[in-house]
Amino acid sequence: MKILICISSVPDTTTKIKPTGDGKAIDLANVQWIINPWDELALTRVLELKEQPNSKIEKITVLTVGGRNAEPTIRKALAIGADDAIRVDTEPGDNYFTAFQIAQALKNYDSDIIICGIESSDYNGSSTGSMIAEMMDLPSVSSVSKLEIESDTVKMNREISGGFEVIEMPTPMVAIVQKGIAIEPRIPSMRGIMMARSKPLQVVESADVKPLTVFCSYTLPSPKAACKMVDAENMEELVNLLHNEAKII
Amino acid sequence: MNKVIIFAENFEGVFKKATFEAVSYGSRIVEQMGGGEVIAISLGEVADEELKSLGAYGATRVISLHNEAFNSLDAKIYAKTIADNVKKENAGLIIFTDSNASKAVAPRVAVRLHAGMVFGAYGLPSNLSPFTIPKKVFYGKAFTEVVIQSEVKVISLSQNSFGVVENKKDIVVENIDHTVDTDQIKTKILSVEKSTGKILLTDAEIVVSGGRGMKGPDKWKPLEDLAETLGAGLACTRPVSDEGWRPHTEHVGQTGKIIAPNLYFAFGISGAIQHLAGVSSSKVIVAVNTDKDAPIFSAADYGVVGDAATVLIGLNDALKKFKSEN
């Protein structure tokens, strides 16, 4: 069984975000790039499955859409334990553009399960995985918080309002994963880092497609008014403020 | 004519507030456009009375499609059904909520219609031509304006970013027995686990949350008491769920649930950036922490410097007194 994991390269989650002078982009100078947290957890889960006795997983491939500057991120995924990598050679555009690039690159690529994180921690789009599935005419399950592989089906928990469903779906399919899929992301070992250097990284040409949306300006949220402090001994005052001032209770 | 379609998701035959908000939002956009039709589309078994309730928020027609297959979510089948109806109606804008089902279905609908899609719209379009939608990025650390360039447009609305607005209209219900190609259904549901009777975190108007400053899993009773007094949902930080003090379903933050209640209480929470990412859309934040320099106070509207356990008891007493008097 071949597993493909889509990896997005995003600014470290603690990055202080500020727009550029003209407000047309986010200032990305000095940003530390990381693997999108959900993609990293997806990779961790698939490695756990591959290490199980009698695992049917033959190969784990990671794919990213990005220029040469995305290579350290994809090398990190190889260092964590992916077997090989694909980079679609273009800067990612909107969700449609990016999904299209991935669907094109995977057209002649045989994978049984394609896994995407539920969203990217930068643009919070929550759409690429399902778009890829639709473009490739594959079934998909979103909000997956647990994933097991059984002969030629995938067994998953899907989070729903107030609980979860246990779902089975035949391969090939797309799984869109979120919290719970793995607990702690794996850290690359020294040996993994050494081995990653010689693992195959295939660069494929991008497809000719136009994005359908354009992010045109960025602003920071207006700063919050100063926090009003209430004495710990005077909770009646807090209740009074919430009732009469905030009018929230 | 301008036509806007809202996907009216039901939960066991009942609509939630987020759907009423999406209908309110859609009908306001139609007003912005100078008039048109606000159509809701419902999949599965929903009673006529419930369907008609959408008229209170501006819908003038609801297309209710029936088939057993709609009782469980197969993303592909749902998307095909919705997209086919959008084409039939020749609608230009399709609105979803930001629910789990919307995440599974809306992007597929967008691809089928070759429509640009914005997930997590935060309020009304700032411009209709070009169609420009405000949205949060980096978990609310910045706002952006997104232009949708395609003829047909798909947006999903961030919960509580617009609000439920009454706008009563006469509504027509169209019940249709829909045919589904069942061979195409690949989602097989083996079982469902649901907790009953609890207030769902993502639906709660008030949320009471605890961090490591609560000092241990056995210290949660006062927090649960406060939640009961307020009719609030319970939440926690990532360290708390990672250490098993509370179930992971209660974790709010960047990698947990993103919530937007009217009132959020943070007890013993320092306010790490990843935690704030999940709660910063709350209308009012109250923070209680022993450290007066904790970052949570710069995100909070009201703050109390003190021990969570002590403050909880005082606050619960004060609230009970308030409730008995009001």
Side-chain angles (χ1 to χ4, degrees):
Chain A
M1 200 172 257
K2 292 185 180 119
I3 317 281
L4 186 124
I5 304 166
C6 299
I7 300 267
S8 178
S9 184
V10 296
D12 183 277
T13 50
T14 56
T15 306
K16 206 167 160 55
I17 297 301
K18 65 170 203 281
T20 52
D22 61 2
K24 292 204 164 132
I26 295 286
D27 185 355
L28 296 173
N30 306 317
V31 160
Q32 177 99 26
W33 296 90
I34 59 164
I35 302 176
N36 183 43
W38 289 270
D39 308 349
E40 198 175 25
L41 289 174
L43 175 59
T44 302
R45 179 60 189 151
V46 175
L47 285 165
E48 286 168 7
L49 291 171
K50 197 184 175 197
E51 287 157 8
Q52 285 176 0
N54 308 319
S55 166
K56 299 183 69 179
I57 300 175
E58 304 148 49
K59 194 164 84 161
I60 305 170
T61 304
V62 286
L63 177 148
T64 197
V65 177
R68 205 168 248 288
N69 55 355
E71 286 202 2
T73 307
I74 201 111
R75 283 278 175 215
K76 188 184 169 199
L78 291 171
I80 292 171
D83 297 302
D84 63 358
I86 302 170
R87 175 170 71 83
V88 183
D89 191 21
T90 178
E91 288 304 322
D94 72 340
N95 44 21
Y96 183 84
F97 175 92
T98 308
F100 194 91
Q101 297 299 341
I102 296 171
Q104 278 300 113
L106 295 182
K107 224 176 179 179
N108 302 311
Y109 195 89
D110 173 34
S111 35
D112 299 286
I113 308 175
I114 296 170
I115 306 184
C116 298
I118 187 87
E119 66 177 343
S120 67
S121 63
D122 48 7
Y123 290 95
N124 313 147
S126 296
S127 38
T128 311
S130 296
M131 284 189 171
I132 295 167
E134 187 64 41
M135 287 168 180
M136 296 182 73
D137 197 25
L138 288 173
S140 61
V141 178
S142 187
S143 306
V144 173
S145 59
K146 192 175 170 203
L147 188 142
E148 302 280 353
I149 297 172
E150 292 177 357
S151 56
D152 51 5
T153 63
V154 187
K155 205 172 149 187
M156 292 156 284
N157 285 4
R158 171 165 75 184
E159 297 289 314
I160 56 168
S161 183
F164 63 89
E165 297 164 325
V166 182
I167 289 184
E168 195 178 70
M169 185 175 270
T171 60
M173 58 86 63
V174 179
I176 299 148
V177 304
Q178 65 173 52
K179 180 174 167 68
I181 192 73
I183 304 302
E184 273 294 309
R186 289 230 181 149
I187 300 163
S189 65
M190 207 53 217
R191 186 163 165 269
I193 295 168
M194 300 296 285
M195 280 170 64
R197 290 182 192 160
S198 55
K199 285 181 178 172
L201 193 165
Q202 188 192 343
V203 178
V204 301
E205 256 181 57
S206 61
D208 184 21
V209 61
K210 293 253 175 327
L212 300 177
T213 59
V214 178
F215 286 63
C216 46
S217 65
Y218 295 87
T219 48
L220 291 176
S222 36
K224 245 190 148 147
C227 179
K228 199 175 247 184
M229 302 308 288
V230 182
D231 189 85
E233 302 291 320
N234 194 358
M235 284 303 100
E236 281 179 20
E237 172 63 8
L238 178 60
V239 173
N240 177 37
L241 286 168
L242 292 175
H243 179 61
N244 290 315
E245 190 180 77
K247 298 191 191 318
I248 212 97
I249 57 169
Chain B
M1 180 169 59
N2 296 314
K3 280 187 183 179
V4 172
I5 289 189
I6 295 105
F7 171 55
E9 180 184 5
N10 75 81
F11 295 82
E12 288 162 356
V14 178
F15 296 130
K16 285 193 182 178
K17 199 179 130 194
T19 294
F20 301 139
E21 184 181 19
V23 173
S24 309
Y25 178 76
S27 67
R28 180 71 65 81
I29 293 180
V30 166
E31 276 171 24
Q32 278 188 338
M33 289 168 165
E37 204 177 357
V38 181
I39 307 164
I41 176 165
S42 163
L43 272 60
E45 296 315 304
V46 182
D48 278 11
E49 275 314 298
E50 186 70 9
L51 293 167
K52 280 182 187 158
S53 70
L54 301 175
Y57 310 101
T60 49
R61 183 149 69 94
V62 51
I63 304 169
S64 179
L65 300 166
H66 301 269
N67 190 302
E68 245 182 41
F70 296 146
N71 294 343
S72 54
L73 171 66
D74 182 282
K76 214 170 150 182
I77 299 294
Y78 265 55
K80 181 178 188 307
T81 308
I82 295 168
D84 286 352
N85 275 278
V86 172
K87 282 184 200 158
K88 205 169 100 193
E89 294 293 337
N90 207 6
L93 175 64
I94 307 97
I95 298 167
F96 289 81
T97 65
D98 61 0
S99 69
N100 285 355
S102 297
K103 285 180 194 171
V105 177
R108 282 181 171 268
V109 171
V111 168
R112 283 194 163 260
L113 300 169
H114 195 72
M117 169 174 164
V118 173
F119 189 91
Y122 204 81
L124 289 170
S126 53
N127 198 347
L128 290 175
S129 180
F131 197 81
T132 312
I133 292 283
K135 168 185 159 60
K136 285 183 171 186
V137 289
F138 295 93
Y139 298 104
K141 284 195 242 173
F143 279 91
T144 181
E145 298 267 320
V146 192
V147 172
I148 307 182
Q149 296 174 313
S150 51
E151 200 178 321
V152 181
K153 299 158 181 76
V154 174
I155 53 187
S156 100
L157 179 66
S158 244
Q159 195 172 353
N160 286 347
S161 69
F162 181 72
V164 175
V165 184
E166 294 208 15
N167 176 15
K168 194 157 172 33
K169 293 277 159 66
D170 289 328
I171 184 165
V172 183
V173 175
E174 290 172 18
N175 281 299
I176 298 167
D177 285 319
H178 190 81
T179 325
V180 168
D181 180 0
T182 46
D183 290 347
Q184 289 288 316
I185 301 175
K186 304 288 183 209
T187 312
K188 189 173 160 196
I189 298 182
L190 305 175
S191 62
V192 183
E193 300 271 335
K194 263 184 134 171
S195 55
T196 48
K198 275 208 282 183
I199 294 162
L200 292 179
L201 204 41
T202 42
D203 295 346
E205 304 279 359
I206 303 177
V207 171
V208 173
S209 184
R212 240 203 274 252
M214 290 295 294
K215 294 183 187 148
D218 52 335
K219 303 285 198 301
W220 239 261
K221 181 74 171 62
L223 209 73
E224 288 169 343
D225 289 345
L226 181 67
E228 201 183 310
T229 309
L230 288 164
L234 279 166
C236 69
T237 60
R238 177 166 180 168
V240 164
S241 71
D242 279 358
E243 282 174 32
W245 293 6
R246 301 296 299 174
H248 82 85
T249 47
E250 287 185 7
H251 166 201
V252 292
Q254 186 162 277
T255 52
K257 289 192 172 73
I258 311 272
I259 56 171
N262 286 329
L263 179 54
Y264 182 74
F265 284 96
F267 289 94
I269 294 174
S270 64
I273 203 161
Q274 291 89 344
H275 182 74
L276 296 178
V279 302
S280 62
S281 293
S282 309
K283 285 215 178 73
V284 173
I285 296 179
V286 178
V288 178
N289 203 295
T290 46
D291 175 9
K292 68 172 173 41
D293 297 320
I296 189 80
F297 288 122
S298 44
D301 301 277
Y302 299 100
V304 179
V305 178
D307 177 60
T310 322
V311 172
L312 267 166
I313 294 167
L315 179 58
N316 204 3
D317 288 346
L319 275 166
K320 279 187 179 154
K321 183 159 171 262
F322 168 78
K323 286 216 156 176
S324 66
E325 289 165 2
N326 285 274

